Each structure stands twice: as C-alpha cells, then as structure tokens.
PDB file of all heavy atoms in Angstrom:
ATOM      1  N   ALA A  24       0.829  -1.189  -0.002  1.00  0.00           N
ATOM      2  CA  ALA A  24       0.016  -0.021  -0.023  1.00  0.00           C
ATOM      3  C   ALA A  24       0.872   1.233   0.005  1.00  0.00           C
ATOM      4  O   ALA A  24       2.004   1.212   0.486  1.00  0.00           O
ATOM      5  CB  ALA A  24      -0.924   0.027   1.221  1.00  0.00           C
ATOM      6  N   ILE A  25       0.337   2.302  -0.570  1.00  0.00           N
ATOM      7  CA  ILE A  25       1.019   3.579  -0.531  1.00  0.00           C
ATOM      8  C   ILE A  25       0.284   4.477   0.445  1.00  0.00           C
ATOM      9  O   ILE A  25      -0.940   4.655   0.343  1.00  0.00           O
ATOM     10  CB  ILE A  25       1.042   4.275  -1.911  1.00  0.00           C
ATOM     11  CG1 ILE A  25       1.802   3.410  -2.910  1.00  0.00           C
ATOM     12  CG2 ILE A  25       1.681   5.644  -1.853  1.00  0.00           C
ATOM     13  CD1 ILE A  25       1.872   3.998  -4.276  1.00  0.00           C
ATOM     14  N   ALA A  26       0.991   5.060   1.362  1.00  0.00           N
ATOM     15  CA  ALA A  26       0.404   6.026   2.272  1.00  0.00           C
ATOM     16  C   ALA A  26       0.945   7.380   1.898  1.00  0.00           C
ATOM     17  O   ALA A  26       2.115   7.618   1.883  1.00  0.00           O
ATOM     18  CB  ALA A  26       0.785   5.700   3.717  1.00  0.00           C
ATOM     19  N   TRP A  27       0.044   8.288   1.548  1.00  0.00           N
ATOM     20  CA  TRP A  27       0.441   9.619   1.130  1.00  0.00           C
ATOM     21  C   TRP A  27       0.287  10.594   2.291  1.00  0.00           C
ATOM     22  O   TRP A  27      -0.774  10.629   2.958  1.00  0.00           O
ATOM     23  CB  TRP A  27      -0.428  10.099  -0.011  1.00  0.00           C
ATOM     24  CG  TRP A  27      -0.317   9.217  -1.249  1.00  0.00           C
ATOM     25  CD1 TRP A  27      -1.063   8.177  -1.577  1.00  0.00           C
ATOM     26  CD2 TRP A  27       0.655   9.350  -2.247  1.00  0.00           C
ATOM     27  NE1 TRP A  27      -0.655   7.616  -2.734  1.00  0.00           N
ATOM     28  CE2 TRP A  27       0.407   8.328  -3.183  1.00  0.00           C
ATOM     29  CE3 TRP A  27       1.724  10.253  -2.491  1.00  0.00           C
ATOM     30  CZ2 TRP A  27       1.185   8.157  -4.319  1.00  0.00           C
ATOM     31  CZ3 TRP A  27       2.469  10.071  -3.626  1.00  0.00           C
ATOM     32  CH2 TRP A  27       2.228   9.036  -4.519  1.00  0.00           C
ATOM     33  N   SER A  28       1.284  11.371   2.583  1.00  0.00           N
ATOM     34  CA  SER A  28       1.167  12.405   3.660  1.00  0.00           C
ATOM     35  C   SER A  28       1.334  13.758   3.051  1.00  0.00           C
ATOM     36  O   SER A  28       2.115  13.925   2.118  1.00  0.00           O
ATOM     37  CB  SER A  28       2.269  12.149   4.716  1.00  0.00           C
ATOM     38  OG  SER A  28       3.528  12.282   4.161  1.00  0.00           O
ATOM     39  N   LYS A  29       0.611  14.685   3.542  1.00  0.00           N
ATOM     40  CA  LYS A  29       0.581  16.015   2.967  1.00  0.00           C
ATOM     41  C   LYS A  29       1.781  16.818   3.451  1.00  0.00           C
ATOM     42  O   LYS A  29       1.936  17.108   4.617  1.00  0.00           O
ATOM     43  CB  LYS A  29      -0.722  16.728   3.376  1.00  0.00           C
ATOM     44  CG  LYS A  29      -0.896  18.082   2.715  1.00  0.00           C
ATOM     45  CD  LYS A  29      -2.235  18.641   3.099  1.00  0.00           C
ATOM     46  CE  LYS A  29      -2.496  20.002   2.466  1.00  0.00           C
ATOM     47  NZ  LYS A  29      -3.788  20.549   2.842  1.00  0.00           N
ATOM     48  N   SER A  30       2.678  17.174   2.529  1.00  0.00           N
ATOM     49  CA  SER A  30       3.826  18.017   2.836  1.00  0.00           C
ATOM     50  C   SER A  30       4.365  18.584   1.535  1.00  0.00           C
ATOM     51  O   SER A  30       4.003  18.168   0.468  1.00  0.00           O
ATOM     52  CB  SER A  30       4.944  17.204   3.528  1.00  0.00           C
ATOM     53  OG  SER A  30       5.510  16.302   2.634  1.00  0.00           O
ATOM     54  N   ALA A  31       5.265  19.577   1.645  1.00  0.00           N
ATOM     55  CA  ALA A  31       5.786  20.235   0.450  1.00  0.00           C
ATOM     56  C   ALA A  31       6.583  19.275  -0.379  1.00  0.00           C
ATOM     57  O   ALA A  31       6.657  19.390  -1.605  1.00  0.00           O
ATOM     58  CB  ALA A  31       6.609  21.462   0.823  1.00  0.00           C
ATOM     59  N   THR A  32       7.271  18.354   0.248  1.00  0.00           N
ATOM     60  CA  THR A  32       8.045  17.350  -0.491  1.00  0.00           C
ATOM     61  C   THR A  32       7.581  15.984  -0.074  1.00  0.00           C
ATOM     62  O   THR A  32       8.329  15.198   0.511  1.00  0.00           O
ATOM     63  CB  THR A  32       9.544  17.524  -0.192  1.00  0.00           C
ATOM     64  OG1 THR A  32       9.744  17.383   1.217  1.00  0.00           O
ATOM     65  CG2 THR A  32      10.054  18.882  -0.650  1.00  0.00           C
ATOM     66  N   ALA A  33       6.328  15.723  -0.378  1.00  0.00           N
ATOM     67  CA  ALA A  33       5.682  14.484   0.077  1.00  0.00           C
ATOM     68  C   ALA A  33       6.406  13.264  -0.482  1.00  0.00           C
ATOM     69  O   ALA A  33       6.797  13.264  -1.627  1.00  0.00           O
ATOM     70  CB  ALA A  33       4.207  14.460  -0.363  1.00  0.00           C
ATOM     71  N   LYS A  34       6.536  12.230   0.338  1.00  0.00           N
ATOM     72  CA  LYS A  34       7.112  10.959  -0.116  1.00  0.00           C
ATOM     73  C   LYS A  34       6.082   9.864   0.134  1.00  0.00           C
ATOM     74  O   LYS A  34       5.395   9.861   1.166  1.00  0.00           O
ATOM     75  CB  LYS A  34       8.389  10.619   0.637  1.00  0.00           C
ATOM     76  CG  LYS A  34       9.556  11.534   0.244  1.00  0.00           C
ATOM     77  CD  LYS A  34      10.818  11.046   0.925  1.00  0.00           C
ATOM     78  CE  LYS A  34      11.999  11.888   0.503  1.00  0.00           C
ATOM     79  NZ  LYS A  34      13.262  11.441   1.146  1.00  0.00           N
ATOM     80  N   ALA A  35       6.014   8.911  -0.772  1.00  0.00           N
ATOM     81  CA  ALA A  35       5.128   7.764  -0.590  1.00  0.00           C
ATOM     82  C   ALA A  35       6.006   6.572  -0.264  1.00  0.00           C
ATOM     83  O   ALA A  35       6.970   6.308  -0.952  1.00  0.00           O
ATOM     84  CB  ALA A  35       4.337   7.514  -1.841  1.00  0.00           C
ATOM     85  N   LYS A  36       5.642   5.871   0.800  1.00  0.00           N
ATOM     86  CA  LYS A  36       6.384   4.688   1.183  1.00  0.00           C
ATOM     87  C   LYS A  36       5.473   3.472   1.174  1.00  0.00           C
ATOM     88  O   LYS A  36       4.313   3.553   1.462  1.00  0.00           O
ATOM     89  CB  LYS A  36       6.964   4.869   2.590  1.00  0.00           C
ATOM     90  CG  LYS A  36       8.001   6.004   2.660  1.00  0.00           C
ATOM     91  CD  LYS A  36       8.548   6.115   4.060  1.00  0.00           C
ATOM     92  CE  LYS A  36       9.566   7.227   4.143  1.00  0.00           C
ATOM     93  NZ  LYS A  36      10.135   7.363   5.512  1.00  0.00           N
ATOM     94  N   TRP A  37       6.105   2.303   0.812  1.00  0.00           N
ATOM     95  CA  TRP A  37       5.321   1.055   0.746  1.00  0.00           C
ATOM     96  C   TRP A  37       5.160   0.488   2.154  1.00  0.00           C
ATOM     97  O   TRP A  37       6.035   0.495   2.957  1.00  0.00           O
ATOM     98  CB  TRP A  37       6.097   0.032  -0.110  1.00  0.00           C
ATOM     99  CG  TRP A  37       6.102   0.403  -1.517  1.00  0.00           C
ATOM    100  CD1 TRP A  37       7.050   1.081  -2.184  1.00  0.00           C
ATOM    101  CD2 TRP A  37       5.070   0.179  -2.462  1.00  0.00           C
ATOM    102  NE1 TRP A  37       6.705   1.274  -3.471  1.00  0.00           N
ATOM    103  CE2 TRP A  37       5.494   0.716  -3.683  1.00  0.00           C
ATOM    104  CE3 TRP A  37       3.818  -0.469  -2.416  1.00  0.00           C
ATOM    105  CZ2 TRP A  37       4.716   0.653  -4.841  1.00  0.00           C
ATOM    106  CZ3 TRP A  37       3.072  -0.556  -3.557  1.00  0.00           C
ATOM    107  CH2 TRP A  37       3.522   0.009  -4.740  1.00  0.00           C
ATOM    108  N   ARG A  38       3.937  -0.038   2.408  1.00  0.00           N
ATOM    109  CA  ARG A  38       3.719  -0.795   3.609  1.00  0.00           C
ATOM    110  C   ARG A  38       2.777  -1.958   3.270  1.00  0.00           C
ATOM    111  O   ARG A  38       2.121  -1.935   2.242  1.00  0.00           O
ATOM    112  CB  ARG A  38       3.112   0.076   4.715  1.00  0.00           C
ATOM    113  CG  ARG A  38       1.667   0.463   4.419  1.00  0.00           C
ATOM    114  CD  ARG A  38       1.142   1.430   5.475  1.00  0.00           C
ATOM    115  NE  ARG A  38      -0.263   1.694   5.256  1.00  0.00           N
ATOM    116  CZ  ARG A  38      -0.857   2.790   5.666  1.00  0.00           C
ATOM    117  NH1 ARG A  38      -0.178   3.693   6.344  1.00  0.00           N
ATOM    118  NH2 ARG A  38      -2.148   2.984   5.423  1.00  0.00           N
ATOM    119  N   LYS A  39       2.712  -2.918   4.103  1.00  0.00           N
ATOM    120  CA  LYS A  39       1.874  -4.067   3.845  1.00  0.00           C
ATOM    121  C   LYS A  39       0.408  -3.650   3.900  1.00  0.00           C
ATOM    122  O   LYS A  39      -0.008  -2.796   4.618  1.00  0.00           O
ATOM    123  CB  LYS A  39       2.146  -5.162   4.848  1.00  0.00           C
ATOM    124  CG  LYS A  39       3.516  -5.765   4.688  1.00  0.00           C
ATOM    125  CD  LYS A  39       3.722  -6.935   5.633  1.00  0.00           C
ATOM    126  CE  LYS A  39       5.081  -7.547   5.416  1.00  0.00           C
ATOM    127  NZ  LYS A  39       5.341  -8.673   6.281  1.00  0.00           N
ATOM    128  N   PRO A  40      -0.446  -4.324   3.085  1.00  0.00           N
ATOM    129  CA  PRO A  40      -1.852  -3.958   3.049  1.00  0.00           C
ATOM    130  C   PRO A  40      -2.547  -4.181   4.393  1.00  0.00           C
ATOM    131  O   PRO A  40      -2.193  -5.082   5.139  1.00  0.00           O
ATOM    132  CB  PRO A  40      -2.438  -4.888   1.964  1.00  0.00           C
ATOM    133  CG  PRO A  40      -1.483  -6.004   1.876  1.00  0.00           C
ATOM    134  CD  PRO A  40      -0.135  -5.441   2.195  1.00  0.00           C
ATOM    135  N   GLN A  41      -3.544  -3.346   4.685  1.00  0.00           N
ATOM    136  CA  GLN A  41      -4.292  -3.429   5.941  1.00  0.00           C
ATOM    137  C   GLN A  41      -5.303  -4.564   5.856  1.00  0.00           C
ATOM    138  O   GLN A  41      -5.726  -5.027   4.759  1.00  0.00           O
ATOM    139  CB  GLN A  41      -4.979  -2.098   6.224  1.00  0.00           C
ATOM    140  CG  GLN A  41      -3.992  -0.931   6.257  1.00  0.00           C
ATOM    141  CD  GLN A  41      -2.894  -1.124   7.295  1.00  0.00           C
ATOM    142  OE1 GLN A  41      -3.215  -1.481   8.446  1.00  0.00           O
ATOM    143  NE2 GLN A  41      -1.641  -0.948   6.925  1.00  0.00           N
ATOM    144  N   ALA A  42      -5.769  -4.969   6.996  1.00  0.00           N
ATOM    145  CA  ALA A  42      -6.721  -6.051   7.065  1.00  0.00           C
ATOM    146  C   ALA A  42      -8.044  -5.717   6.363  1.00  0.00           C
ATOM    147  O   ALA A  42      -8.768  -6.622   5.933  1.00  0.00           O
ATOM    148  CB  ALA A  42      -7.000  -6.462   8.497  1.00  0.00           C
ATOM    149  N   SER A  43      -8.359  -4.451   6.278  1.00  0.00           N
ATOM    150  CA  SER A  43      -9.607  -4.067   5.636  1.00  0.00           C
ATOM    151  C   SER A  43      -9.636  -4.441   4.172  1.00  0.00           C
ATOM    152  O   SER A  43     -10.701  -4.564   3.586  1.00  0.00           O
ATOM    153  CB  SER A  43      -9.803  -2.554   5.800  1.00  0.00           C
ATOM    154  OG  SER A  43      -8.721  -1.855   5.231  1.00  0.00           O
ATOM    155  N   GLY A  44      -8.440  -4.548   3.568  1.00  0.00           N
ATOM    156  CA  GLY A  44      -8.382  -4.963   2.164  1.00  0.00           C
ATOM    157  C   GLY A  44      -8.657  -3.821   1.230  1.00  0.00           C
ATOM    158  O   GLY A  44      -9.716  -3.222   1.323  1.00  0.00           O
ATOM    159  N   VAL A  45      -7.731  -3.501   0.363  1.00  0.00           N
ATOM    160  CA  VAL A  45      -7.933  -2.458  -0.616  1.00  0.00           C
ATOM    161  C   VAL A  45      -7.898  -3.092  -1.998  1.00  0.00           C
ATOM    162  O   VAL A  45      -7.272  -4.141  -2.192  1.00  0.00           O
ATOM    163  CB  VAL A  45      -6.812  -1.380  -0.479  1.00  0.00           C
ATOM    164  CG1 VAL A  45      -7.173  -0.110  -1.279  1.00  0.00           C
ATOM    165  CG2 VAL A  45      -6.618  -0.987   0.985  1.00  0.00           C
ATOM    166  N   ASP A  46      -8.562  -2.504  -2.941  1.00  0.00           N
ATOM    167  CA  ASP A  46      -8.800  -3.201  -4.208  1.00  0.00           C
ATOM    168  C   ASP A  46      -7.613  -3.174  -5.174  1.00  0.00           C
ATOM    169  O   ASP A  46      -7.697  -3.669  -6.278  1.00  0.00           O
ATOM    170  CB  ASP A  46     -10.028  -2.588  -4.967  1.00  0.00           C
ATOM    171  CG  ASP A  46      -9.786  -1.140  -5.372  1.00  0.00           C
ATOM    172  OD1 ASP A  46      -8.670  -0.603  -5.137  1.00  0.00           O
ATOM    173  OD2 ASP A  46     -10.732  -0.554  -5.921  1.00  0.00           O
ATOM    174  N   GLY A  47      -6.440  -2.643  -4.761  1.00  0.00           N
ATOM    175  CA  GLY A  47      -5.264  -2.697  -5.607  1.00  0.00           C
ATOM    176  C   GLY A  47      -5.140  -1.571  -6.592  1.00  0.00           C
ATOM    177  O   GLY A  47      -4.308  -1.603  -7.473  1.00  0.00           O
ATOM    178  N   ARG A  48      -5.953  -0.565  -6.512  1.00  0.00           N
ATOM    179  CA  ARG A  48      -5.881   0.568  -7.426  1.00  0.00           C
ATOM    180  C   ARG A  48      -5.531   1.841  -6.665  1.00  0.00           C
ATOM    181  O   ARG A  48      -6.081   2.097  -5.584  1.00  0.00           O
ATOM    182  CB  ARG A  48      -7.172   0.738  -8.173  1.00  0.00           C
ATOM    183  CG  ARG A  48      -7.498  -0.411  -9.145  1.00  0.00           C
ATOM    184  CD  ARG A  48      -8.886  -0.265  -9.698  1.00  0.00           C
ATOM    185  NE  ARG A  48      -9.896  -0.345  -8.648  1.00  0.00           N
ATOM    186  CZ  ARG A  48     -11.175  -0.139  -8.830  1.00  0.00           C
ATOM    187  NH1 ARG A  48     -11.624   0.246 -10.026  1.00  0.00           N
ATOM    188  NH2 ARG A  48     -12.023  -0.252  -7.841  1.00  0.00           N
ATOM    189  N   ALA A  49      -4.699   2.653  -7.278  1.00  0.00           N
ATOM    190  CA  ALA A  49      -4.397   3.965  -6.696  1.00  0.00           C
ATOM    191  C   ALA A  49      -5.468   4.915  -7.191  1.00  0.00           C
ATOM    192  O   ALA A  49      -5.718   4.993  -8.389  1.00  0.00           O
ATOM    193  CB  ALA A  49      -3.004   4.416  -7.110  1.00  0.00           C
ATOM    194  N   GLY A  50      -6.052   5.681  -6.297  1.00  0.00           N
ATOM    195  CA  GLY A  50      -7.110   6.551  -6.741  1.00  0.00           C
ATOM    196  C   GLY A  50      -6.807   8.017  -6.438  1.00  0.00           C
ATOM    197  O   GLY A  50      -6.382   8.379  -5.352  1.00  0.00           O
ATOM    198  N   GLY A  51      -7.053   8.863  -7.424  1.00  0.00           N
ATOM    199  CA  GLY A  51      -6.997  10.291  -7.253  1.00  0.00           C
ATOM    200  C   GLY A  51      -5.662  10.830  -6.830  1.00  0.00           C
ATOM    201  O   GLY A  51      -5.545  11.650  -5.927  1.00  0.00           O
ATOM    202  N   LEU A  52      -4.553  10.395  -7.472  1.00  0.00           N
ATOM    203  CA  LEU A  52      -3.251  10.886  -7.109  1.00  0.00           C
ATOM    204  C   LEU A  52      -3.040  12.296  -7.627  1.00  0.00           C
ATOM    205  O   LEU A  52      -2.138  12.984  -7.177  1.00  0.00           O
ATOM    206  CB  LEU A  52      -2.158   9.971  -7.639  1.00  0.00           C
ATOM    207  CG  LEU A  52      -2.183   8.518  -7.113  1.00  0.00           C
ATOM    208  CD1 LEU A  52      -1.005   7.744  -7.638  1.00  0.00           C
ATOM    209  CD2 LEU A  52      -2.166   8.522  -5.566  1.00  0.00           C
ATOM    210  N   GLY A  53      -3.793  12.719  -8.616  1.00  0.00           N
ATOM    211  CA  GLY A  53      -3.634  14.081  -9.130  1.00  0.00           C
ATOM    212  C   GLY A  53      -2.525  14.182 -10.147  1.00  0.00           C
ATOM    213  O   GLY A  53      -2.326  13.335 -10.988  1.00  0.00           O
ATOM    214  N   ASN A  54      -1.720  15.260 -10.022  1.00  0.00           N
ATOM    215  CA  ASN A  54      -0.683  15.559 -10.993  1.00  0.00           C
ATOM    216  C   ASN A  54       0.717  15.239 -10.437  1.00  0.00           C
ATOM    217  O   ASN A  54       1.648  16.017 -10.630  1.00  0.00           O
ATOM    218  CB  ASN A  54      -0.761  17.043 -11.380  1.00  0.00           C
ATOM    219  CG  ASN A  54       0.130  17.341 -12.566  1.00  0.00           C
ATOM    220  OD1 ASN A  54       0.367  16.467 -13.419  1.00  0.00           O
ATOM    221  ND2 ASN A  54       0.621  18.588 -12.618  1.00  0.00           N
ATOM    222  N   GLU A  55       0.832  14.100  -9.732  1.00  0.00           N
ATOM    223  CA  GLU A  55       2.099  13.736  -9.166  1.00  0.00           C
ATOM    224  C   GLU A  55       3.075  13.195 -10.223  1.00  0.00           C
ATOM    225  O   GLU A  55       2.645  12.479 -11.151  1.00  0.00           O
ATOM    226  CB  GLU A  55       1.941  12.714  -8.048  1.00  0.00           C
ATOM    227  CG  GLU A  55       1.471  13.261  -6.734  1.00  0.00           C
ATOM    228  CD  GLU A  55      -0.009  13.597  -6.800  1.00  0.00           C
ATOM    229  OE1 GLU A  55      -0.700  13.038  -7.641  1.00  0.00           O
ATOM    230  OE2 GLU A  55      -0.485  14.360  -5.925  1.00  0.00           O
ATOM    231  N   ASN A  56       4.340  13.490 -10.052  1.00  0.00           N
ATOM    232  CA  ASN A  56       5.413  12.824 -10.815  1.00  0.00           C
ATOM    233  C   ASN A  56       5.975  11.730  -9.948  1.00  0.00           C
ATOM    234  O   ASN A  56       6.463  12.009  -8.821  1.00  0.00           O
ATOM    235  CB  ASN A  56       6.485  13.817 -11.221  1.00  0.00           C
ATOM    236  CG  ASN A  56       5.967  14.891 -12.137  1.00  0.00           C
ATOM    237  OD1 ASN A  56       5.124  14.618 -12.994  1.00  0.00           O
ATOM    238  ND2 ASN A  56       6.458  16.121 -11.968  1.00  0.00           N
ATOM    239  N   ILE A  57       5.932  10.523 -10.416  1.00  0.00           N
ATOM    240  CA  ILE A  57       6.264   9.353  -9.592  1.00  0.00           C
ATOM    241  C   ILE A  57       7.520   8.677 -10.137  1.00  0.00           C
ATOM    242  O   ILE A  57       7.621   8.400 -11.291  1.00  0.00           O
ATOM    243  CB  ILE A  57       5.107   8.369  -9.560  1.00  0.00           C
ATOM    244  CG1 ILE A  57       3.862   9.042  -8.988  1.00  0.00           C
ATOM    245  CG2 ILE A  57       5.452   7.129  -8.740  1.00  0.00           C
ATOM    246  CD1 ILE A  57       2.596   8.214  -9.090  1.00  0.00           C
ATOM    247  N   SER A  58       8.476   8.432  -9.233  1.00  0.00           N
ATOM    248  CA  SER A  58       9.691   7.705  -9.560  1.00  0.00           C
ATOM    249  C   SER A  58       9.676   6.328  -8.874  1.00  0.00           C
ATOM    250  O   SER A  58       9.399   6.274  -7.658  1.00  0.00           O
ATOM    251  CB  SER A  58      10.932   8.490  -9.138  1.00  0.00           C
ATOM    252  OG  SER A  58      11.019   9.704  -9.843  1.00  0.00           O
ATOM    253  N   ILE A  59       9.923   5.302  -9.615  1.00  0.00           N
ATOM    254  CA  ILE A  59       9.921   3.933  -9.083  1.00  0.00           C
ATOM    255  C   ILE A  59      11.365   3.425  -9.174  1.00  0.00           C
ATOM    256  O   ILE A  59      11.953   3.327 -10.235  1.00  0.00           O
ATOM    257  CB  ILE A  59       8.992   3.034  -9.870  1.00  0.00           C
ATOM    258  CG1 ILE A  59       7.563   3.567  -9.810  1.00  0.00           C
ATOM    259  CG2 ILE A  59       9.087   1.595  -9.370  1.00  0.00           C
ATOM    260  CD1 ILE A  59       6.581   2.790 -10.647  1.00  0.00           C
ATOM    261  N   SER A  60      11.949   3.164  -8.032  1.00  0.00           N
ATOM    262  CA  SER A  60      13.348   2.753  -7.979  1.00  0.00           C
ATOM    263  C   SER A  60      13.523   1.250  -7.758  1.00  0.00           C
ATOM    264  O   SER A  60      14.614   0.791  -7.453  1.00  0.00           O
ATOM    265  CB  SER A  60      14.087   3.516  -6.861  1.00  0.00           C
ATOM    266  OG  SER A  60      13.491   3.284  -5.601  1.00  0.00           O
ATOM    267  N   ASP A  61      12.452   0.509  -7.939  1.00  0.00           N
ATOM    268  CA  ASP A  61      12.515  -0.959  -7.758  1.00  0.00           C
ATOM    269  C   ASP A  61      13.439  -1.586  -8.782  1.00  0.00           C
ATOM    270  O   ASP A  61      13.575  -1.145  -9.932  1.00  0.00           O
ATOM    271  CB  ASP A  61      11.143  -1.579  -7.932  1.00  0.00           C
ATOM    272  CG  ASP A  61      10.368  -1.563  -6.637  1.00  0.00           C
ATOM    273  OD1 ASP A  61      10.189  -0.485  -6.118  1.00  0.00           O
ATOM    274  OD2 ASP A  61       9.988  -2.669  -6.189  1.00  0.00           O
ATOM    275  N   THR A  62      14.094  -2.674  -8.392  1.00  0.00           N
ATOM    276  CA  THR A  62      14.759  -3.615  -9.322  1.00  0.00           C
ATOM    277  C   THR A  62      14.258  -4.994  -8.928  1.00  0.00           C
ATOM    278  O   THR A  62      13.525  -5.165  -7.964  1.00  0.00           O
ATOM    279  CB  THR A  62      16.281  -3.533  -9.186  1.00  0.00           C
ATOM    280  OG1 THR A  62      16.655  -3.792  -7.845  1.00  0.00           O
ATOM    281  CG2 THR A  62      16.798  -2.169  -9.603  1.00  0.00           C
ATOM    282  N   GLY A  63      14.628  -6.003  -9.718  1.00  0.00           N
ATOM    283  CA  GLY A  63      14.151  -7.329  -9.457  1.00  0.00           C
ATOM    284  C   GLY A  63      12.900  -7.605 -10.263  1.00  0.00           C
ATOM    285  O   GLY A  63      12.877  -7.307 -11.483  1.00  0.00           O
ATOM    286  N   THR A  64      11.849  -8.109  -9.659  1.00  0.00           N
ATOM    287  CA  THR A  64      10.619  -8.477 -10.350  1.00  0.00           C
ATOM    288  C   THR A  64       9.435  -7.712  -9.772  1.00  0.00           C
ATOM    289  O   THR A  64       9.308  -7.587  -8.537  1.00  0.00           O
ATOM    290  CB  THR A  64      10.356  -9.988 -10.255  1.00  0.00           C
ATOM    291  OG1 THR A  64      11.481 -10.680 -10.829  1.00  0.00           O
ATOM    292  CG2 THR A  64       9.098 -10.354 -11.017  1.00  0.00           C
ATOM    293  N   LEU A  65       8.571  -7.249 -10.645  1.00  0.00           N
ATOM    294  CA  LEU A  65       7.417  -6.448 -10.215  1.00  0.00           C
ATOM    295  C   LEU A  65       6.265  -6.753 -11.135  1.00  0.00           C
ATOM    296  O   LEU A  65       6.382  -6.870 -12.337  1.00  0.00           O
ATOM    297  CB  LEU A  65       7.783  -4.934 -10.303  1.00  0.00           C
ATOM    298  CG  LEU A  65       6.702  -3.917  -9.890  1.00  0.00           C
ATOM    299  CD1 LEU A  65       6.427  -4.016  -8.411  1.00  0.00           C
ATOM    300  CD2 LEU A  65       7.133  -2.527 -10.271  1.00  0.00           C
ATOM    301  N   ALA A  66       5.049  -6.882 -10.561  1.00  0.00           N
ATOM    302  CA  ALA A  66       3.841  -7.042 -11.361  1.00  0.00           C
ATOM    303  C   ALA A  66       3.580  -5.788 -12.142  1.00  0.00           C
ATOM    304  O   ALA A  66       3.538  -4.692 -11.587  1.00  0.00           O
ATOM    305  CB  ALA A  66       2.671  -7.403 -10.489  1.00  0.00           C
ATOM    306  N   SER A  67       3.396  -5.936 -13.467  1.00  0.00           N
ATOM    307  CA  SER A  67       3.196  -4.735 -14.287  1.00  0.00           C
ATOM    308  C   SER A  67       1.913  -3.997 -13.938  1.00  0.00           C
ATOM    309  O   SER A  67       1.759  -2.813 -14.257  1.00  0.00           O
ATOM    310  CB  SER A  67       3.190  -5.120 -15.779  1.00  0.00           C
ATOM    311  OG  SER A  67       2.157  -6.054 -16.042  1.00  0.00           O
ATOM    312  N   SER A  68       0.953  -4.699 -13.310  1.00  0.00           N
ATOM    313  CA  SER A  68      -0.294  -4.022 -12.881  1.00  0.00           C
ATOM    314  C   SER A  68      -0.019  -2.899 -11.907  1.00  0.00           C
ATOM    315  O   SER A  68      -0.831  -1.966 -11.782  1.00  0.00           O
ATOM    316  CB  SER A  68      -1.243  -5.043 -12.287  1.00  0.00           C
ATOM    317  OG  SER A  68      -0.634  -5.699 -11.207  1.00  0.00           O
TER     318      SER A  68
END
C-alpha cells in the first residue's frame, strides 16, 4: 500500500496492506510525478 502524507516534499512509502483490504488501485493521485526505484521483479499491474 502507498500512504500519502501532505507536505511540500511528500514521499510515498510502501507498507503491507491493511486487514480491511484495498482493491489494488491507486485513486485520485492528481498531478504527481512518480519515480519507481525498484529492481528485481514487479507485477506490471
């Protein structure tokens, strides 16, 4: 899961999904520029 916090230089960090269960889609991120620094294997979804 991505947790977004409101700040001038906001950072999104990964955490494990909550028990409530989220549908796997990011909603309403707006006009963010996103950098993904992962290597290895990642689901393209």
Side-chain angles (χ1 to χ4, degrees):
I25 297 179
W27 298 93
S28 62
K29 185 176 181 181
S30 69
T32 58
K34 290 186 177 180
K36 297 182 179 180
W37 291 95
R38 71 185 184 204
K39 292 184 179 181
Q41 305 301 312
S43 58
V45 193
D46 65 2
R48 293 173 296 173
L52 298 184
N54 190 30
E55 282 76 19
N56 297 323
I57 301 172
S58 296
I59 301 175
S60 58
D61 274 58
T62 58
T64 301
L65 180 68
S67 60
S68 57

